[in-house]
Amino acid sequence: MIKEYSHEPFTDFLIEKNYREMEQALEHIKSYLGKKHSLLIDGKNVETDEEITSINPANKEEVVGYVSKASKEHAEDAMKAAHHAFESWRLWDAEARAELLFRAAAITRRRKKELTALLIKEGGKPWKEADADIAEGIDFMEYYGREMIRLKDGAPVKSREGEKNKYIYTSMGVTVVIPPWNFAFAIMVGTTVAPIVTGNTVVLKPASNTPVIARAFIDILKEAGIPKGVVNFCPGSGSEVGDYLVDHPLTHLISFTGSREVGTRIYNRASQVREGQKWLKRSIIEMGGKDTVVVDKNADLEAAAEEIFVSAFGFSGQKCSAGSRAVIHEDVYDRVVERVVKIAETKKVGDPVDGKTYMGPVIDQSSFDKIMNYIEIGKEEGRLVYGGKSDDSKGFFIDPTIFADVDPKARIMQEEIFGPVLAFSKGGDFKELIEIANNTEYGLTGAVFSNNREHLEYAKGHFHVGNLYFNRNCTGAIVGYHPFGGFNMSGTDSKAGGPDYLPLHMLPKTISEML
Ligand code: NDP
């Protein structure tokens, strides 16, 4: 009997025992930092001369691991292996495929602290954020396993006298999975196991900043009993291996999460029919965001300020859902800005190995440079009221940075910065606040703080985002509770962790038989 799904609890690090265990896990993982990790193709580990060096963004000197780097030839071998394995994997009983996910979830749960520690090192995530990332990975396995069992017999259709009809879901084929580094475990796991549980086979190209945690998950799938060729692990350059996999005629489905720039490129390439291709490729493309927290004049201002801070600066603003813009009613604007600045003054920035750290580094030098450039732009476009300082001598550290009085059309109000930068604008009435909130090309998440029911109802109809939150922050979607995905240039709105997600990985088939 499978228990009803509920999300993996978050670890409370205020409990002494949990705090100590996390410190021990961070000690323990030192023993496997700096090791070599191979590709996995057709069930075999493959080592290459060329490697990706994964470093700790809080300490550039520390190598998290050396990971083999796939060439086009490796990608070709992986495609062939996945294509071959598909023939038998698609015929596995749906429940057996779901059980494999449940076993992998159980192994992950047993190794949770160690994986959390690895993510702290490789992703630069503070404890709480890293713990939530691993928990979300577990949730995806538990949730999609149950979803597959729900969908295994298809959906009901009518039969007539003398004619029996069935509507079932069948597998598609080889899926190319390309996740980002910012939810290096959760998104990588979710986008890998959804095609697997639906009977497809996978070639996974992890993000080059975080390949070690991805390889750790591949080993978990192996331990759970995944047959050879069903998942193939191919780290490599996005432009070389990524393009090759996307363009390949045997690719049937592409599951991408990342920037708007790369997402639109993949969307475009996937639409071209290549020689030998027998189907139109389907693509799930989830991209960036420029997410807004709106504060109405009669809102709980203390709660709003707390949640603006969390939305903007959790994981240094490196979330697609980060509330990097706050739009405040003019009557309460000064009070909210002042309060958010006060909160910023209490937060510790530093190495996330320390459990007291609120904000760690940004992921790499190019992100650091890009964010610092936006901070310079912000100085021209608004009033710097907090932060602006940075230090990349040891790791890539940037203080939480807050700009007030920014024009709603300014660049720092429009472009995804993907770092710890928050911009404030004001508006005169609620309608105007929502108009400003909608004025970007994205449409991922948004939050409204208001105690006016009419205004909340107005926001339901007019605030055009995939995930709309009332009187809470705009980040932290939970699998099975807040299905996640955005509108407009935020992507195809596939709603990961929701009831419509798995069918995107399958072909519905109608079978009609005369009796
Ligand atoms: P990128 O778009 O830079 O990279 C995402 C993935 O695409 C990586 O694995 C990358 O590989 C790969 N890639 C790069 N170029 C190509 C190519 N030409 N063909 C195929 N694959 C390629 O995004 P980031 O990793 O920097 O992630 C941050 C972005 O992700 C932000 O915009 C954020 O908003 C978005 N995001 C969206 C989410 C959503 O649900 N909507 C959730 C999380 C993040 P490599 O690392 O080797 O370059």
Side-chain angles (χ1 to χ4, degrees):
M1 181 67 185
I2 300 163
K3 266 200 331 204
E4 203 188 322
Y5 169 78
S6 65
H7 78 85
E8 180 71 12
F10 302 120
T11 308
D12 182 353
F13 291 113
L14 292 175
I15 296 171
E16 172 75 22
K17 177 175 170 290
N18 292 339
Y19 197 91
R20 241 183 305 117
E21 281 177 6
M22 197 60 240
E23 284 185 323
Q24 281 159 8
L26 280 159
E27 235 356 84
H28 165 71
I29 106 145
K30 281 187 187 157
S31 64
Y32 74 70
L33 292 184
K35 288 199 174 149
K36 284 179 180 282
H37 304 273
S38 49
L39 315 177
L40 184 79
I41 298 175
D42 205 18
K44 290 192 263 316
N45 287 327
V46 177
E47 281 182 15
T48 62
D49 293 337
E50 239 197 300
E51 286 172 335
I52 297 170
T53 304
S54 172
I55 60 151
N56 175 355
N59 177 5
K60 297 186 258 184
E61 304 280 286
E62 186 171 61
V63 174
V64 177
Y66 299 96
V67 182
S68 283
K69 191 172 179 189
S71 63
K72 282 183 190 160
E73 289 70 31
H74 295 116
E76 178 61 28
D77 291 347
M79 284 302 302
K80 286 205 180 103
H83 183 63
H84 182 71
F86 177 64
E87 279 318 308
S88 49
W89 179 244
R90 73 187 178 88
L91 299 174
W92 268 47
D93 196 58
E95 265 161 3
R97 293 196 305 254
E99 277 159 15
L100 192 138
L101 263 53
F102 299 146
R103 278 198 300 281
I107 298 166
T108 306
R109 203 175 278 117
R110 278 201 295 278
R111 293 178 49 193
K112 200 168 167 188
K113 293 247 162 52
E114 168 205 337
L115 292 163
T116 305
L118 180 56
L119 200 50
I120 290 168
K121 290 280 187 183
E122 193 175 36
K125 287 205 160 183
W127 291 18
K128 204 170 149 221
E129 305 276 350
D131 176 70
D133 194 327
I134 305 295
E136 191 178 348
I138 295 172
D139 288 345
F140 276 127
M141 293 185 263
E142 296 284 0
Y143 181 77
Y144 290 151
R146 284 165 178 76
E147 278 295 288
M148 190 62 235
I149 292 169
R150 175 177 73 82
L151 295 165
K152 72 181 168 41
D153 298 321
V157 287
K158 296 270 182 211
S159 286
R160 299 185 292 185
E161 205 176 329
E163 182 193 77
K164 187 169 174 243
N165 300 323
K166 272 186 83 120
Y167 183 81
I168 57 166
Y169 296 108
T170 62
S171 316
M172 296 183 79
V174 178
T175 306
V176 169
V177 175
I178 306 178
W181 53 263
N182 71 328
F183 281 85
F185 193 73
I187 295 180
M188 180 270 305
V189 169
T191 52
T192 299
V193 301
I196 287 175
V197 80
T198 44
N200 304 295
T201 52
V202 165
V203 178
L204 167 65
K205 194 218 86 62
S208 297
N209 279 319
T210 52
V212 176
I213 187 89
R215 175 66 216 207
F217 178 62
I218 293 294
D219 290 334
I220 289 172
L221 286 177
K222 278 175 72 181
E223 194 180 331
I226 197 150
K228 66 176 188 158
V230 173
V231 67
N232 301 275
F233 182 63
C234 269
S237 131
S239 51
E240 189 187 343
V241 174
D243 279 351
Y244 188 78
L245 294 170
V246 166
D247 293 349
H248 203 287
L250 290 178
T251 298
H252 208 140
L253 173 66
I254 298 153
S255 182
F256 167 85
T257 312
S259 63
R260 179 196 189 289
E261 186 193 349
V262 177
T264 49
R265 176 190 173 93
I266 291 178
Y267 186 67
N268 187 19
R269 294 181 87 103
S271 69
Q272 292 165 43
V273 178
R274 316 276 163 173
E275 207 182 320
Q277 188 176 323
K278 281 174 70 180
W279 43 71
L280 296 177
K281 289 174 191 170
R282 190 182 287 172
S283 42
I284 298 170
I285 308 277
E286 297 308 319
M287 309 190 291
K290 188 72 187 169
D291 310 301
T292 312
V293 180
V294 169
V295 182
D296 201 0
K297 67 175 171 188
N298 63 354
D300 175 342
L301 300 187
E302 182 57 34
E306 289 280 347
E307 300 290 279
I308 287 171
F309 189 86
V310 168
S311 302
F313 299 115
F315 188 36
S316 309
Q318 299 173 111
K319 300 183 186 181
C320 51
S321 55
S324 55
R325 46 195 332 250
V327 179
I328 317 292
H329 193 286
E330 61 190 7
D331 291 0
V332 294
Y333 178 82
D334 290 339
R335 270 187 285 161
V336 174
V337 174
E338 205 176 291
R339 188 64 199 123
V340 175
V341 169
K342 282 267 171 285
I343 294 167
E345 284 164 2
T346 66
K347 302 291 181 187
K348 182 172 183 305
V349 180
D351 192 329
V353 159
D354 179 348
K356 306 280 185 301
T357 293
Y358 182 84
M359 233 178 68
V362 299
I363 193 69
D364 60 15
Q365 189 72 55
S366 80
S367 285
F368 179 91
D369 294 343
K370 180 178 152 200
I371 298 161
M372 289 314 296
N373 187 40
Y374 271 113
I375 290 177
E376 288 310 309
I377 294 169
K379 288 177 186 167
E380 303 287 311
E381 292 184 330
R383 179 165 59 92
L384 178 68
V385 288
Y386 190 78
K389 292 197 201 73
S390 65
D391 179 0
D392 63 349
S393 53
K394 185 169 182 221
F396 308 110
F397 296 98
I398 302 177
D399 279 355
T401 298
I402 304 174
F403 291 101
D405 309 344
V406 184
D407 185 280
K409 283 285 181 194
R411 283 186 67 190
I412 62 163
M413 280 293 278
Q414 292 292 320
E415 297 171 19
E416 188 182 45
I417 299 172
F418 222 58
V421 181
L422 167 66
F424 277 97
S425 284
K426 64 176 116 172
D429 64 23
F430 190 72
K431 217 171 144 190
E432 191 193 349
L433 300 180
I434 298 296
E435 253 172 46
I436 297 172
N438 280 333
N439 79 356
T440 76
E441 61 174 6
Y442 296 105
L444 189 46
T445 77
V448 177
F449 282 82
S450 177
N451 285 318
N452 182 325
R453 179 44 54 186
E454 257 181 69
H455 286 180
L456 293 177
E457 290 305 318
Y458 180 87
K460 276 188 200 167
H462 290 84
F463 196 166
H464 194 59
V465 289
N467 283 61
L468 178 59
Y469 300 103
F470 290 159
N471 296 317
R472 52 152 288 182
N473 66 66
C474 65
T475 59
I478 294 178
V479 173
Y481 296 68
H482 317 114
F484 189 81
F487 302 158
N488 296 349
M489 279 300 155
S490 292
T492 49
D493 194 28
S494 61
K495 285 292 185 280
D500 300 322
Y501 192 69
L502 288 193
L504 298 173
H505 300 72
M506 295 187 282
L507 299 170
K509 183 169 183 175
T510 302
I511 303 171
S512 179
E513 180 176 353
M514 296 309 289
L515 299 174

